[in-house]
């Protein structure tokens, strides 16, 4: 079957083109912005606003925690070590942002060296270390070694790195001036003089070197996420790669201004907020893709279940056909032979002879019905087309009972599932049997027409009847039940001395003849 919309044109899929374009736009735009900020003497990389700072840090806490929780859930459910390492990385960022938020809300910035009036080295060291650990975890998740480590560590992979960063932060605050000088005293003096200005060029070479290394690690993590996107096709992985590019540039901005002090909002902070926004968008897209994949899996599961049920039904029909052929039909044939010998040897006459003939006719009729049932069940289980099965069925019926049986097909008979085909054949068989047994018909015509629906009509020239005056027998009720099983409609039209028309209408819409919905 041809999928709706036709074949997809050659080239990269639209999602890949979209993600590639997004990464190129982000990288190009941020490169221009970063260069302008670094080269322009009038550029101001920071501003003082405590409310915006609290809002940004709160958003960062929620964003990093949400990504960590969802990545951990995916890693545990899917057994994906890379997702577990990613969860650990964002747990570290959540712990880092959470400590910053606690400092802002409790007003202890002066105690921990985070005050702009007297900036210390501990906040810069802790924030740099935390982001470095997160970047290292993201890169490690893409290494082959992660597949052996991630599945064995359990909760320790999620807890230990973030707990270690918190412990180092406490030790750094307690160490005070004994900390290694990641930021030169002259740079801290410059921040004390004007907190919104960038660090003087060359004032903190170690800080610039470390931030550049972390930026490179984020770029490496972006490459890992992008490769995962190209392999899996998950747009969320592509957005993760885009966000990590933004995170890499935020580290460059942090080298120009650390931004780890209370009440300061820097361009690096804004980029990190954009980073979390892109990641949350990726989470939303992933959840949408997961739900769509789950729905598709459920549809496929139902389809497979229907096929299994239909296969079991066909196997049961084949078994019943063999049993009737090898058991009931053989017994009836044996009874006919013995009855014929008995009538000949007994020399019956008069009423006894007539009674013997009635028994012989009854045995013949039962034998014909058994053979007819075997033929119908074998055709239903043969796997051929409905048109071929109807043609064989009508020809066999005419040959067996010396009636003029015709099949008239208007158009192309559509393919149907095995369940629909088997029930249609049984309905046609029952209608033909009624025409022979009750209508005294000499001509029976099976008409097949295809318009919006598939219509199969069995028309005879028998004596007819008034449907409202006759209590439906077992045969008619059986046909209606079989029609209901496949979602079809059965109508009977008849008039005395004017024949009978039995019409079966199988709708195509919503799982009709060509669908799977009626196969089980």
């Amino acid at each position: 079957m041809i999928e709706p919309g036709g074949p997809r044109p050659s080239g990269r899929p639209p999602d890949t083109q979209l993600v590639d374009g997004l990464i190129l736009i982000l990288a190009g735009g941020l490169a221009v912005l970063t260069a302008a900020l670094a080269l322009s003497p009038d550029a101001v990389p920071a501003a003082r606003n405590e409310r915006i700072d609290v809002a940004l840090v709160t958003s960062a806490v929620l964003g990093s925690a949400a990504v960590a929780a969802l990545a951990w859930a995916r890693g545990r459910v899917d057994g994906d070590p890379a997702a577990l390492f990613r969860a650990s990385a964002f747990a570290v960022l959540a712990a880092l942002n959470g400590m910053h938020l606690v400092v802002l809300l409790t007003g202890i910035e002066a105690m921990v060296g985070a005050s702009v009036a007297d900036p210390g080295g501990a906040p810069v060291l802790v924030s740099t270390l935390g982001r470095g650990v997160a970047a290292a975890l993201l890169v490690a998740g893409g290494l082959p070694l992660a597949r052996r480590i991630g599945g064995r560590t359990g909760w320790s992979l999620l807890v230990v790195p973030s707990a270690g960063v918190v412990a180092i932060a406490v030790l750094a605050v307690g160490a005070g001036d004994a900390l290694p000088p990641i930021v030169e005293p002259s740079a801290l003096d410059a921040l004390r003089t004007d907190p919104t200005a960038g660090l003087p060029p060359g004032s903190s070479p170690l800080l610039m070197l470390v931030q550049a290394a972390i930026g490179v690690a984020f770029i490496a993590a972006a490459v890992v996420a992008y490769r995962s996107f190209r392999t899996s096709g998950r747009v969320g992985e592509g957005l993760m790669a885009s966000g990590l590019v933004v995170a890499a540039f935020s580290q460059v901005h942090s080298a120009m201004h650390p931004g780890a002090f209370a009440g300061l909002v820097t361009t690096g902070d804004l980029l990190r907020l954009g980073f979390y926004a892109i990641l949350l968008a990726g989470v939303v897209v992933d959840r949408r893709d997961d739900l769509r994949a789950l729905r598709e899996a459920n549809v496929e599961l139902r389809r497979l279940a229907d096929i299994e049920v239909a296969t079991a039904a066909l196997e049961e029909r084949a078994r019943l056909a063999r049993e009737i052929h090898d058991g009931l039909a053989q017994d009836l044939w044996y009874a006919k032979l013995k009855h014929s010998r008995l009538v000949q040897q007994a020399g019956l006459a008069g009423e006894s002879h007539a009674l013997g003939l009635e028994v012989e006719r009854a045995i013949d009729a039962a034998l014909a019905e058994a053979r007819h049932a075997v033929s119908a069940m074998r055709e239903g289980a043969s796997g051929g087309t409905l048109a071929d099965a109807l043609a064989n069925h009508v020809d066999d019926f005419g040959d067996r009972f010396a009636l003029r049986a015709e099949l008239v097909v208007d158009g192309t008979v559509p393919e149907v599932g095995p369940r629909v085909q088997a029930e249609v054949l049984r309905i046609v068989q029952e209608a033909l049997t009624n025409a022979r047994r009750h209508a005294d018909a000499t001509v029976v015509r099976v008409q097949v027409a295809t318009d919006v629906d598939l219509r199969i009509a069995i028309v005879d020239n028998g004596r007819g009847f008034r449907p409202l005056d006759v209590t439906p027998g077992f045969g008619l009720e059986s046909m209606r039940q079989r029609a209901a099983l496949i979602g079809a409609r059965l109508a009977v039209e008849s008039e005395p001395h004017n024949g009978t028309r039995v019409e079966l209408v199988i709708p195509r819409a919503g799982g009709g003849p060509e669908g799977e919905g009626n196969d089980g």
Side-chain angles (χ1 to χ4, degrees):
M1 295 179 63
I2 299 177
E3 294 182 359
R8 176 174 287 181
S10 59
R12 292 177 296 175
D15 288 343
T16 303
Q17 297 176 1
L18 180 64
V19 171
D20 289 350
L22 177 61
I23 292 176
L24 290 175
I25 291 173
L26 286 175
L30 291 175
V32 172
L33 174 64
T34 303
L37 189 64
L39 299 177
S40 174
D42 299 327
V44 179
R48 298 187 65 173
N49 192 310
E50 294 183 1
R51 291 184 177 180
I52 294 180
D53 191 24
V54 171
L56 289 178
V57 175
T58 302
S59 300
V61 171
L62 296 176
S64 54
V67 174
L70 292 170
W72 183 258
R74 176 181 291 280
R76 299 293 286 183
V77 172
D78 296 343
D80 184 5
L84 298 178
F85 274 88
R86 183 175 296 172
S88 180
F90 283 97
V92 169
L93 294 177
L96 187 64
N97 295 322
M99 288 188 292
H100 193 176
L101 182 61
V102 169
V103 170
L104 292 176
L105 296 179
T106 58
I108 60 172
E109 57 266 21
M111 183 184 305
V112 299
S115 172
V116 293
D118 186 19
V124 180
L125 175 64
V126 172
S127 63
T128 303
L129 176 66
R131 294 189 181 98
V133 171
L137 287 169
L138 289 172
V139 174
L143 300 177
L145 183 62
R147 299 192 176 276
R148 287 184 289 177
I149 297 177
R152 301 176 182 177
T153 53
W155 286 95
S156 59
L157 180 61
L158 182 69
V159 174
V160 171
S162 54
V165 170
V166 173
I168 291 175
V170 173
L171 293 176
V173 171
D177 295 337
L179 289 173
I182 189 172
V183 182
E184 299 294 333
S186 59
L188 293 177
D189 292 338
L191 288 175
R192 187 179 295 108
T193 302
D194 184 3
T196 63
L199 296 179
S203 61
S204 296
L206 179 59
L207 176 63
M208 296 184 65
L209 180 63
V210 173
Q211 297 287 22
I214 297 174
V216 170
F218 276 124
I219 291 294
V223 172
V224 172
Y226 182 76
R227 287 179 176 175
S228 176
F229 162 67
R230 294 300 296 265
T231 302
S232 65
R234 298 184 66 90
V235 180
E237 291 293 316
L239 291 177
M240 173 65 72
S242 304
L244 289 171
V245 171
V246 177
F249 277 96
S250 74
Q251 295 304 122
V252 178
H253 285 238
S254 295
M256 293 186 289
H257 193 299
F261 306 103
L264 281 181
V265 179
T266 68
T267 56
D269 294 332
L270 296 177
L271 290 180
R272 278 186 283 273
L273 181 63
F275 166 54
Y276 291 123
I278 294 174
L279 295 190
L280 289 177
V283 168
V284 172
V285 171
D286 272 347
R287 298 289 79 76
R288 181 201 65 188
D289 292 344
D290 288 342
L291 289 176
R292 181 168 55 197
L294 181 61
R295 286 194 294 267
E296 292 175 353
N298 286 334
V299 170
E300 180 67 11
L301 184 61
R302 287 195 296 269
R303 188 184 71 85
L304 293 175
D306 291 343
I307 292 176
E308 184 177 359
V309 171
T311 302
L314 294 178
E315 291 176 352
E316 181 64 14
R317 287 189 177 95
R319 184 188 66 81
L320 289 175
R322 288 193 302 270
E323 290 186 357
I324 293 175
H325 180 271
D326 298 338
L328 179 61
Q330 297 296 332
D331 291 341
L332 289 172
W333 182 255
Y334 182 75
K336 179 181 179 179
L337 293 177
K338 293 299 183 181
H339 176 268
S340 299
R341 290 184 61 187
L342 179 62
V343 170
Q344 292 174 0
Q345 292 178 4
L348 300 178
E351 184 177 352
S352 298
H353 181 69
L355 184 60
L357 292 178
E358 290 180 7
V359 172
E360 184 176 359
R361 286 194 295 269
I363 294 175
D364 287 338
L367 184 58
E369 289 295 330
R371 290 173 174 172
H372 202 47
V374 169
S375 175
M377 284 189 286
R378 283 178 174 172
E379 288 169 355
S382 64
T385 65
L386 177 61
D388 292 339
L390 286 173
N392 294 335
H393 198 63
V394 172
D395 289 343
D396 180 73
F397 179 82
D399 292 341
R400 286 182 184 276
F401 301 107
L403 292 178
R404 181 181 171 187
E406 301 175 351
L407 174 65
V408 180
V409 179
D410 182 11
T412 302
V413 181
E415 294 295 328
V416 299
R419 174 71 178 276
V420 176
Q421 179 168 319
E423 298 300 345
V424 168
L425 291 176
R426 293 296 292 168
I427 292 171
V428 171
Q429 176 198 2
E430 186 65 32
L432 292 174
T433 299
N434 289 341
R436 176 186 64 83
R437 182 182 296 171
H438 304 297
D440 292 333
T442 58
V443 178
V444 182
R445 183 176 292 110
V446 178
Q447 301 170 338
V448 182
T450 56
D451 42 30
V452 177
D453 302 322
L454 173 61
R455 299 175 180 272
I456 301 174
I458 301 92
V459 184
D460 66 61
N461 66 343
R463 59 190 179 188
F465 63 97
R466 296 185 187 276
L468 295 180
D469 296 340
V470 177
T471 301
F474 176 77
L476 181 58
E477 188 62 28
S478 173
M479 287 192 290
R480 286 176 174 164
Q481 291 176 358
R482 292 181 182 279
L485 285 175
I486 58 175
R489 302 186 301 274
L490 186 76
V492 179
E493 301 175 3
S494 182
E495 293 181 2
H497 312 295
N498 200 25
T500 301
R501 176 186 177 89
V502 178
E503 185 177 52
L504 179 69
V505 181
I506 309 173
R508 295 200 190 195
E514 294 180 349
E516 296 290 347
N518 292 332
D519 289 353

